[in-house]
């Protein structure tokens, strides 16, 4: 087992439990700033600069970056809990944060050490990117890229973007990513969507842009740096450990909202003669609300249990196996489906009040139905779980979402 790097630059505690408490306290500390910017971010299509600076200065965007590069790497359970807390504030904020902190961690572990040291020299660099391949031509010392790359969440806040392309290596087609300063790309106005409006997941274009070899990497392979635990996870588990927290945080926010509304919410009082019962007094509501609360708690417990297993595997220096990969994906898909069910029902409980522009339950409804279009949270994960349970899956045949 390789020891973790020394705690040279981070101000976060080194003890796991203390670091977890500190990270969650930082989210709570900046929560008023994040909440204050939600409506403006919805209008402009990406987070406010004030919100992003609060996230960066708090250290939250460094939780996937090794300590010796200015980050404050956390264990998978803590990563889940931090993203869950952000999701409870606002799904777009949680999504953008997750993309940017994953991007910083990728720069720290996928690049050669000397290149990473330069990029992280002054402050934590943020990266957004797209895995959709564009066009690249091999030239002396690197590649020339042209094309359009879509769904680049967080690009308005990123210092760097990664643009994917395909190359032939020993007769096999492989994916590569090229790093380009965001100032050198053309950001398009192409993010007019149903929900997750403030993620700024728009597109960018490049025209004959040269990228040297030392700023390219294979995003689907193991990291060049393997002396930190999370660097050994691999890309898909890297993402899976956190995204379930985002949607379960949003579900908990919806349940909190309807819980607070229920004592004063009377359905049908405009039509029926007399005063109807408060929603909280209706047995059908109590039954449904209680079940939704239990289901969200169960999905959350499954996600935390799974992330704890991942942590123990990494501490032991053991590789991820097919069973644990399957469990991570299943926990993520279950979180997505459970969150969707809870948010949809809470929206319906609220009646006409929730359809007004700017109401949090209407926003959550749009957000959850948008975010579930992303593969790692989709129901296809249940198909993959069935393949695993039925013995139809091997490491070679397992599909990648």
């Amino acid at each position: 087992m390789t020891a973790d790097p020394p705690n040279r630059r981070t101000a976060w505690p080194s003890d796991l439990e203390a670091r977890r408490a500190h990270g969650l306290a930082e989210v709570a500390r900046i929560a008023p700033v994040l909440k204050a910017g939600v409506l403006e971010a919805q209008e402009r299509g990406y987070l406010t600069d004030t919100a992003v600076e609060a996230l960066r200065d708090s250290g939250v965007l460094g939780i996937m970056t090794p300590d010796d590069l200015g980050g404050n790497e956390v264990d998978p359970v803590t990563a889940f809990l931090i993203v869950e807390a952000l999701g409870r504030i606002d799904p777009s904020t949680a999504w953008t944060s997750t993309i940017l902190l994953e991007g910083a961690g990728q720069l720290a572990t996928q690049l050669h050490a000397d290149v990473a040291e330069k990029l992280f020299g002054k402050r934590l660099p943020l990266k957004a990117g797209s895995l959709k391949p564009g066009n690249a031509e091999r030239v002396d010392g690197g590649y020339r890229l042209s094309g359009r790359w879509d769904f680049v969440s967080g690009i308005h806040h990123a210092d760097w973007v990664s643009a994917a392309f395909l190359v032939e290596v020993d007769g096999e087609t492989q994916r590569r990513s090229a790093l380009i300063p965001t100032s050198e790309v053309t950001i398009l106005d192409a993010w007019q969507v149903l929900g997750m409006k403030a993620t700024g997941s728009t597109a960018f274009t490049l025209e004959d842009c040269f990228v040297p070899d030392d700023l390219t990497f294979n995003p689907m392979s193991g990291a060049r740096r393997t002396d930190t635990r999370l660097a050994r996870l691999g890309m898909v588990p890297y993402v899976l450990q956190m995204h379930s927290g985002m949607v379960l945080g949003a579900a908990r926010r919806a349940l909190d909202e309807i819980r607070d509304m229920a004592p004063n919410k009377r359905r049908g009082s405009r039509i029926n003669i007399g005063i109807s019962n408060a929603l909280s007094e209706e047995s059908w509501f109590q039954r449904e609300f209680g079940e939704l609360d239990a289901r969200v708690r169960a999905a959350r417990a499954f996600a935390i249990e799974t992330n704890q297993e991942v942590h123990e595997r990494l501490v032991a220096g053991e590789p991820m196996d097919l069973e644990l990969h399957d469990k991570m994906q299943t926990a993520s898909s279950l979180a997505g489906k459970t969150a969707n069910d809870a948010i949809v029902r809470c929206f319906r409980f609220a009646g006409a009040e929730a359809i007004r522009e700017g109401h949090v339950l209407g926003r959550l409804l749009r957000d959850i139905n948008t975010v579930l279009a992303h593969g790692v949270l989709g129901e296809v994960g249940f198909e993959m779980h069935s393949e695993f349970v039925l013995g139809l899956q091997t490491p070679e045949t397992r599909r990648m979402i």
Side-chain angles (χ1 to χ4, degrees), residues 144-149 184-186 205-210:
R144 288 197 172 276
L145 275 70
S146 297
R148 169 174 168 150
W149 288 262
E184 295 182 11
V185 309
T186 301
T205 60
L206 289 170
E207 185 62 39
D208 196 32
C209 175
F210 174 74

Side-chain angles (χ1 to χ4, degrees), residues 39-118:
L39 295 182
E40 181 182 346
Q42 290 283 309
E43 290 294 326
R44 74 200 305 230
Y46 50 93
L47 302 188
T48 66
D49 294 339
T50 303
V52 174
E53 285 307 306
L55 287 161
R56 194 201 290 255
D57 292 343
S58 69
V60 167
L61 297 184
I63 64 172
M64 294 292 104
T65 297
D67 291 1
D68 63 302
L69 286 176
N72 24 263
E73 184 181 14
V74 300
D75 66 284
V77 174
T78 302
F80 168 91
L81 294 174
I82 286 175
V83 173
E84 179 191 37
L86 293 172
R88 200 164 180 170
I89 295 169
D90 172 51
S92 285
T93 300
W95 181 273
T96 304
S97 301
T98 302
I99 295 300
L100 293 175
L101 65 88
E102 287 170 353
Q106 195 173 50
L107 294 180
T109 58
Q110 289 280 10
L111 299 175
H112 287 293
D114 56 341
V115 178
E117 188 69 36
K118 292 178 182 177

Side-chain angles (χ1 to χ4, degrees), residues 130-136 146-149 163-166 175-176:
S130 172
L131 287 174
K132 178 185 177 182
N135 300 315
S146 297
R148 169 174 168 150
W149 288 262
F165 60 96
L166 301 178
R175 195 185 305 265
R176 290 281 189 276

Side-chain angles (χ1 to χ4, degrees), residues 302-324:
F302 184 30
I304 290 175
E305 172 193 295
T306 301
N307 277 318
Q308 181 61 31
E309 286 188 31
V310 173
H311 172 65
E312 292 169 1
R313 187 73 57 88
L314 294 172
V315 169
E318 298 173 355
M320 297 282 291
D321 60 15
L322 187 62
E323 182 176 7
L324 192 49

Side-chain angles (χ1 to χ4, degrees), residues 11-341:
W12 285 28
S14 57
D15 174 74
L16 185 150
E17 293 294 337
R19 178 164 289 204
R20 178 178 299 169
H22 182 84
L24 292 171
E26 284 298 289
V27 175
R29 181 181 65 81
I30 65 173
V33 175
L34 302 182
K35 291 176 182 177
V38 167
L39 295 182
E40 181 182 346
Q42 290 283 309
E43 290 294 326
R44 74 200 305 230
Y46 50 93
L47 302 188
T48 66
D49 294 339
T50 303
V52 174
E53 285 307 306
L55 287 161
R56 194 201 290 255
D57 292 343
S58 69
V60 167
L61 297 184
I63 64 172
M64 294 292 104
T65 297
D67 291 1
D68 63 302
L69 286 176
N72 24 263
E73 184 181 14
V74 300
D75 66 284
V77 174
T78 302
F80 168 91
L81 294 174
I82 286 175
V83 173
E84 179 191 37
L86 293 172
R88 200 164 180 170
I89 295 169
D90 172 51
S92 285
T93 300
W95 181 273
T96 304
S97 301
T98 302
I99 295 300
L100 293 175
L101 65 88
E102 287 170 353
Q106 195 173 50
L107 294 180
T109 58
Q110 289 280 10
L111 299 175
H112 287 293
D114 56 341
V115 178
E117 188 69 36
K118 292 178 182 177
L119 264 60
F120 284 80
K122 295 182 178 179
R123 69 171 187 166
L124 190 79
L126 304 180
K127 182 191 77 70
S130 172
L131 287 174
K132 178 185 177 182
N135 300 315
E137 177 188 1
R138 179 65 182 170
V139 296
D140 186 32
Y143 296 87
R144 288 197 172 276
L145 275 70
S146 297
R148 169 174 168 150
W149 288 262
D150 296 306
F151 297 107
V152 193
S153 303
I155 189 172
H156 299 89
H157 318 293
D159 305 297
W160 297 83
V161 295
S162 59
F165 60 96
L166 301 178
V167 297
E168 292 294 324
V169 179
D170 299 328
E172 178 185 5
T173 301
Q174 294 186 3
R175 195 185 305 265
R176 290 281 189 276
S177 283
L179 287 176
I180 306 105
T182 308
S183 58
E184 295 182 11
V185 309
T186 301
I187 301 176
L188 304 180
D189 182 14
W191 188 241
Q192 292 81 37
V193 288
L194 172 71
M196 302 297 283
K197 292 177 179 289
T199 62
S201 304
T202 189
F204 71 87
T205 60
L206 289 170
E207 185 62 39
D208 196 32
C209 175
F210 174 74
V211 181
D213 284 326
D214 63 359
L215 290 180
T216 67
F217 60 94
N218 184 344
M220 312 309 292
S221 69
R224 285 193 171 106
R225 176 172 180 166
T226 59
D227 62 342
T228 67
R229 293 168 185 159
L230 292 179
R232 298 194 292 272
L233 263 180
M235 181 182 173
V236 174
Y238 203 73
V239 172
L240 287 173
Q241 65 183 321
M242 289 178 285
H243 277 53
S244 55
M246 180 192 320
V247 292
L248 290 173
R252 179 51 58 190
R253 173 68 182 280
L255 290 168
D256 289 347
E257 292 289 331
I258 202 67
R259 177 202 62 201
D260 294 344
M261 291 172 63
N264 299 307
K265 183 71 180 176
R266 300 182 186 276
R267 299 293 299 274
S269 58
R270 295 184 183 90
I271 300 173
N272 298 321
I273 297 174
I275 299 176
S276 58
N277 290 334
L279 196 60
S280 60
E281 297 170 342
E282 296 283 3
S283 61
W284 64 266
F285 170 79
Q286 295 168 355
R287 182 170 57 251
E288 286 199 50
F289 181 79
E291 180 184 347
L292 291 171
D293 180 78
R295 288 175 60 196
V296 170
R297 290 174 185 271
R300 182 178 188 266
F302 184 30
I304 290 175
E305 172 193 295
T306 301
N307 277 318
Q308 181 61 31
E309 286 188 31
V310 173
H311 172 65
E312 292 169 1
R313 187 73 57 88
L314 294 172
V315 169
E318 298 173 355
M320 297 282 291
D321 60 15
L322 187 62
E323 182 176 7
L324 192 49
H325 273 287
D326 174 75
K327 193 170 182 179
M328 291 186 82
Q329 178 58 67
T330 306
S332 187
S333 294
L334 181 63
K337 181 174 177 56
T338 304
N340 181 69
D341 291 347

